[in-house]
């Protein structure tokens, strides 16, 4: 099957109003496909869902140990955080240990996604800094690696030692030669690969020995789900709901990656229209299918059977996983 398959349905009353299609692959510890929907060979950009791969050189190079990074630092290096104080305070402190300031970052600024922080800054007429950027943890990891490697300030250039190391790690864990890259929202190169390659990479993380760089990263993410995203975010909600059995990491344009160490399984998912609501629903349904997420857990119901409310707060319909995923 090479065409995307229906994955998420939007119902309004008794009517099927909309449908989201997509592709997904589940790989075992050997990188072989054990289940798939759509086209496993579809070449895609995994966006922020691949941050644990981008963080691999930080650990493998010895930079993390040389700088005394903790599991919280490693979780932030893999994060798409909300810009709440628990995130920004840690990023700023990390930068200070490198004798750097916000100016060293190259991710750009945006208002924090955390609603409380966002509102407080608006009331105080405060402008955001780069450490509010949801990718500032990843970028501080890049700066840490750059310092360790003796790189220059422009750590996002593709010929910089940092990005050369990221590309090498990406091609090694996916077992593919990347056909190229796109520039992410945070200005970092985002290397392309097949959906099978990405699921293979996640299964490699899942099957790696306890003392490996891969295991250190996925363990940090499972230990600190609140740092990987934030309160009321799908990644944090679903990791907590699985009791730490799975790493769940989203990426822009409807991408998700999952690592399940106990089963030595990796998952990659892409919703073709790039809709976040659909990718959250689909990945939660697959986690239920694999037995790591309870079907009746409140987090499951929040994403798999999400009520659609109108402006009066009335339930007018539901978002549900399509039969192909159930």
């Amino acid at each position: 099957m090479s065409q995307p398959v229906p994955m998420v349905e939007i119902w309004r009353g008794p009517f099927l109003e909309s449908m989201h299609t997509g592709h997904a692959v589940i790989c075992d510890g050997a990188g072989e496909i054990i289940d798939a929907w759509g086209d496993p060979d579809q070449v895609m950009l995994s966006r922020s869902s691949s941050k644990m791969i981008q963080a691999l050189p930080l650990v493998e190079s010895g930079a993390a140990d040389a700088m005394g990074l903790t599991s919280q630092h490693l979780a932030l290096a893999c994060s798409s955080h909300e810009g709440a104080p628990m995130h920004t305070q840690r990023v700023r402190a990390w930068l200070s240990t490198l004798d750097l300031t916000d100016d060293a970052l190259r991710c750009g600024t945006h208002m924090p996604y955390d609603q409380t922080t966002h509102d407080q800054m608006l009331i105080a007429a405060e402008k955001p800094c780069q450490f509010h950027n949801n990718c500032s943890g990843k970028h501080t990891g890049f700066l840490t690696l750059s310092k360790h490697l003796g790189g220059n300030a422009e750590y996002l250039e593709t010929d910089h030692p940092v990005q050369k190391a990221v590309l090498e790690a990406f091609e090694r864990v996916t077992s593919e030669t990347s056909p190229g890259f796109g520039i992410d929202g945070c200005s970092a190169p985002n290397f392309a690969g097949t959906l099978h390659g990405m699921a293979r990479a996640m299964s490699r993380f899942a099957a790696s020995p306890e003392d490996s760089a891969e295991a250190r990263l996925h363990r940090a993410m499972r230990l600190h789900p609140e740092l990987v995203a934030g309160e009321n975010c799908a990644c944090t909600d679903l990791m907590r709901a699985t009791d730490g059995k799975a790493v769940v990491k989203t990426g822009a344009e409807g991408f998700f990656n999952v690592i399940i160490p106990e089963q030595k399984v990796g998952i990659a998912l892409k919703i073709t229209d790039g809709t976040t609501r659909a990718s959250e629903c689909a990945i939660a349904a697959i986690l239920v299918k694999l037995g790591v997420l309870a079907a009746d857990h409140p987090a499951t119901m929040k994403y798999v059977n999400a009520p659609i409310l109108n402006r009066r707060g009335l339930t007018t319909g539901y978002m549900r996983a399509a039969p192909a995923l159930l």
Side-chain angles (χ1 to χ4, degrees):
M1 183 182 297
S2 61
Q3 297 300 311
V5 300
M7 287 191 165
V8 176
E9 300 175 344
I10 307 299
W11 288 83
R12 185 169 295 268
F15 300 101
L16 177 60
E17 187 172 36
S18 299
M19 179 82 72
H20 298 282
T21 65
H23 309 268
V25 176
I26 305 176
C27 282
D28 62 18
E32 298 299 321
I33 296 175
I34 56 177
D35 209 345
W37 298 262
D39 184 6
D41 295 322
Q42 184 77 37
V43 175
M44 300 177 180
L45 296 167
S46 53
R47 304 294 295 274
S48 286
S49 69
S50 61
K51 281 181 176 175
M52 66 287 284
I53 299 176
Q54 293 173 308
L56 262 178
L58 175 64
V59 180
E60 292 177 332
S61 67
D65 288 338
M67 289 302 300
L69 300 189
T70 67
S71 60
Q72 292 186 4
H73 292 104
L74 297 183
L76 280 170
C78 301
S79 74
S80 297
H81 65 72
E82 292 287 282
M86 66 176 169
H87 306 118
T88 56
Q89 289 171 5
R90 287 176 169 86
V91 170
R92 293 179 73 181
W94 186 359
L95 281 170
S96 70
T97 66
L98 300 171
D99 296 321
L100 297 173
T101 65
D102 190 72
D103 290 339
L105 295 170
R106 296 290 185 266
C107 52
T109 64
H110 63 71
M111 287 294 283
Y113 299 146
D114 177 70
Q115 194 63 53
T116 299
T117 307
H118 179 276
D119 292 348
Q120 289 173 345
M121 289 180 65
L122 282 180
I123 292 169
E126 294 180 8
K127 293 183 178 180
C129 296
Q130 291 190 94
F131 57 73
H132 289 105
N133 189 302
N134 73 103
C135 297
S136 64
K138 177 182 79 174
H139 282 249
T140 307
F142 284 162
L143 284 167
T144 305
L145 177 59
S146 182
K147 183 173 183 177
H148 186 75
L149 298 177
N152 63 40
E154 302 307 321
Y155 60 88
L156 296 183
E157 298 297 327
T158 53
D159 60 353
H160 192 282
V162 167
Q163 297 308 323
K164 286 182 177 180
V166 171
L167 175 58
E168 187 281 327
F170 183 90
E171 294 185 333
R172 172 162 39 91
V173 297
T174 60
S175 297
E176 295 179 347
T177 299
S178 175
F181 64 91
I183 299 300
D184 217 328
C186 67
S187 297
N190 194 248
F191 298 105
T194 69
L195 205 66
H196 183 190
M198 187 52 62
R200 185 189 294 120
M202 294 303 101
S203 70
R204 176 174 178 144
F205 271 78
S208 291
E210 281 296 305
D211 60 349
S212 67
E214 290 91 342
R216 287 179 63 182
L217 288 166
H218 74 62
R219 186 162 55 244
M221 297 174 79
R222 289 183 290 121
L223 280 172
H224 309 289
E226 72 285 351
L227 297 183
V228 173
E231 300 302 329
N232 299 312
C233 295
C235 293
T236 299
D237 286 346
L238 294 173
M239 282 195 280
R240 285 174 174 167
T242 65
D243 293 325
K245 293 178 182 176
V247 165
V248 182
K249 184 68 189 74
T250 190
E253 298 299 326
F255 213 102
F256 261 100
N257 277 327
V258 173
I259 301 164
I260 308 177
E262 286 185 4
Q263 297 183 15
K264 294 181 172 58
V265 158
I267 309 168
L269 176 143
K270 166 69 176 178
I271 296 296
T272 51
D273 65 10
T275 307
T276 298
R277 68 174 184 178
S279 63
E280 292 173 347
C281 176
I283 202 64
I286 291 175
L287 290 171
V288 171
K289 186 180 184 72
L290 292 175
V292 293
L293 181 65
D296 59 354
H297 193 285
T300 309
M301 304 300 289
K302 178 179 176 180
Y303 297 106
V304 177
N305 291 290
I308 297 172
L309 307 179
N310 69 9
R311 290 174 179 82
R312 291 180 59 202
L314 301 177
T315 298
T316 59
Y318 290 89
M319 178 172 62
R320 293 174 175 157
L325 292 183
L326 300 177

